[in-house]
Amino acid sequence: MPAPLGLLAELTHRCPLRCPYCSNPLELVRAAQELDAATWGRIFAEAAELGVLQVHLSGGEPMARRDLPLILRHAVQAGLYTNLITSGVVADARRLAELVEGGLDHVQLSVQDALPGSADRIGGYAGGHARKLEFARAVRAAGLPLTLNAVVHRQNLDRLPALIDLALELGCGRMEVAHVQYYGWALRNRAALLPTRAQLDAATATVAEARERLRGRLVIDYVVPDYYAQRPKACMGGWGRQAIVVSPAGRALPCHAAEGLPGFTFPDLRHTSLREAWERSEAFTRFRGTGWMPEPCRSCDRREQDWGGCRCQAFALTGDAAATDPACALSPQHHLLDLAVQEAAEATDAFTWREMGRSPAPAG
């Protein structure tokens, strides 16, 4: 069995932003339920023993944790490469200096748009874009490598060239252009966020051109939406194959959205080792490999390339996590993607912001 390469440590669900595509689950973990620093330290040590090479300190907003420097220290002591995934809006020079001194290796900063007004509207945080730019410059001044994470959708995709220019201006060595993935809160706002086919094609061409032009200066990762696809992508490299996620309350998950799937009991790392969760828990083995697959996946020659696609997307669209991912043209429910595209074409740009303690209206 391959060891997980990375651990996504969701330290908290608290976040000052209100992004309409928030990838955290609909039911958020409160601060009182969060793992303490010592438990995170044990998990990091077990991760290193299991073969994990890098830990991504995420949230929510990880800087909402006052004990973040201590949590970081535990990860460094475990010998893990550390990456801070942050909105950058609650950081200051003192806190950044603490993290640099503590051994932080890398920072990944999210942005909502290249235009300040639009970025602040999408994130639901006035003045947020300016604070992000200030933080990015402080990261580079501290000598840390910086990745810019641009989450793109219909309302900002036309400014992708400007977002790429922003990554260069900030001195980033890597950029992730990540189309919104439509489950959880984002599914409720899908009609307002799903790009047109023309926008997607233009963005794909923009990325291809920029990759060639900026070779050696900026690495661009590109994550596309499945709604115009003919074949699904290997979500997370396959269920329980490359990555492991730990929720703020200590649940071990195959992906960050898996807690929304019914019928699972995800291992509680307060009482279970990471190795036990990864190697033997039913939650990780249920969709691992190919034995679980229905037709047409079971006999498809791509079954060990896409690993059946996304289980969370299958559930979101069909109500069955074991169904063939509708992103596949061979799925009997592939037409659901066409219906979503049609709905988006007729929708306005109005969306519902994510807020702690608030549930979205049912989709549809």
Side-chain angles (χ1 to χ4, degrees):
M1 180 186 304
L5 301 177
L7 174 73
L8 179 64
E10 295 185 331
L11 304 182
T12 182
H13 282 158
R14 290 173 283 158
C15 185
L17 300 188
R18 300 184 292 152
C19 301
Y21 46 75
C22 178
S23 61
N24 288 141
L26 297 181
E27 297 296 326
L28 299 177
V29 172
R30 298 292 180 172
Q33 300 170 287
E34 294 171 358
L35 295 180
D36 59 25
T39 304
W40 278 114
R42 175 179 60 79
I43 291 170
F44 295 153
E46 292 177 356
E49 182 182 351
L50 188 58
V52 169
L53 301 177
Q54 54 191 359
V55 61
H56 305 279
L57 304 172
S58 181
E61 172 50 64
M63 285 199 166
R65 294 278 305 240
R66 294 185 179 181
D67 57 354
L68 179 59
L70 178 57
I71 293 172
L72 170 67
R73 195 174 308 128
H74 285 308
V76 172
Q77 289 172 349
L80 299 172
Y81 182 90
T82 54
N83 175 37
L84 177 69
I85 301 176
T86 179
S87 66
V89 299
V90 296
D92 56 35
R94 179 187 61 79
R95 296 205 68 196
L96 178 61
E98 282 184 316
L99 298 177
V100 172
E101 184 178 350
L104 181 65
D105 292 304
H106 183 275
V107 173
Q108 180 174 320
L109 175 69
S110 66
V111 292
Q112 281 64 46
D113 202 337
L115 293 179
S118 176
D120 291 352
R121 169 182 170 268
I122 293 168
Y125 189 98
H129 188 71
R131 299 190 72 165
K132 288 171 180 284
L133 300 189
E134 181 181 356
F135 177 72
R137 295 183 180 108
V139 169
R140 293 300 294 127
L144 289 177
L146 177 65
T147 292
L148 193 70
N149 179 32
V151 181
V152 294
H153 45 82
R154 187 173 79 217
Q155 299 192 33
N156 65 5
L157 194 53
D158 293 339
R159 289 179 289 281
L160 179 55
L163 285 164
I164 295 172
D165 289 343
L166 179 62
L168 292 171
E169 176 190 332
L170 295 175
C172 298
R174 180 178 293 271
M175 178 182 188
E176 180 175 347
V177 178
H179 283 265
V180 170
Q181 304 299 298
Y182 295 97
Y183 36 69
W185 200 275
L187 183 63
R188 273 45 178 193
N189 285 310
R190 183 181 63 190
L193 299 177
L194 188 66
T196 65
R197 181 58 189 258
Q199 281 184 305
L200 176 60
D201 289 346
T204 302
T206 294
V207 169
E209 184 277 331
R211 280 173 166 169
E212 183 63 29
R213 174 170 52 88
L214 301 174
R215 189 183 303 275
R217 292 180 61 196
L218 181 69
V219 175
I220 303 178
D221 299 322
Y222 188 47
V223 181
V224 299
D226 286 329
Y227 280 72
Y228 298 100
Q230 294 299 304
R231 293 290 186 270
K233 56 181 177 288
C235 185
M236 300 290 287
W239 181 280
R241 288 186 56 81
Q242 293 186 5
I244 189 167
V245 179
V246 181
S247 78
R251 298 289 180 183
L253 309 169
C255 78
H256 60 271
E259 263 189 306
L261 298 178
F264 280 86
T265 300
F266 292 104
D268 184 347
L269 297 182
R270 286 185 170 97
H271 311 294
T272 304
S273 73
L274 196 66
R275 181 177 295 277
E276 177 72 19
W278 175 259
E279 295 182 349
R280 288 179 286 278
S281 71
E282 193 272 342
F284 276 80
T285 59
R286 185 185 301 188
F287 295 130
R288 181 180 278 153
T290 60
W292 63 272
M293 292 181 178
E295 292 292 354
C297 305
R298 185 183 298 269
S299 57
C300 179
D301 59 5
R302 290 177 52 88
R303 62 187 179 277
E304 293 191 5
Q305 298 175 43
D306 60 42
W307 301 105
C310 179
R311 299 300 88 220
C312 298
Q313 181 163 264
F315 174 73
L317 295 178
T318 73
D320 180 4
T324 298
D325 188 338
C328 182
L330 300 178
S331 165
Q333 290 146 319
H334 186 66
H335 68 282
L336 294 174
L337 302 188
D338 296 330
L339 294 176
V341 169
Q342 181 179 346
E343 178 192 21
E346 299 168 356
T348 70
D349 285 349
F351 52 67
T352 302
W353 282 289
R354 179 71 197 253
E355 294 185 37
M356 201 79 170
R358 178 181 180 182
S359 296

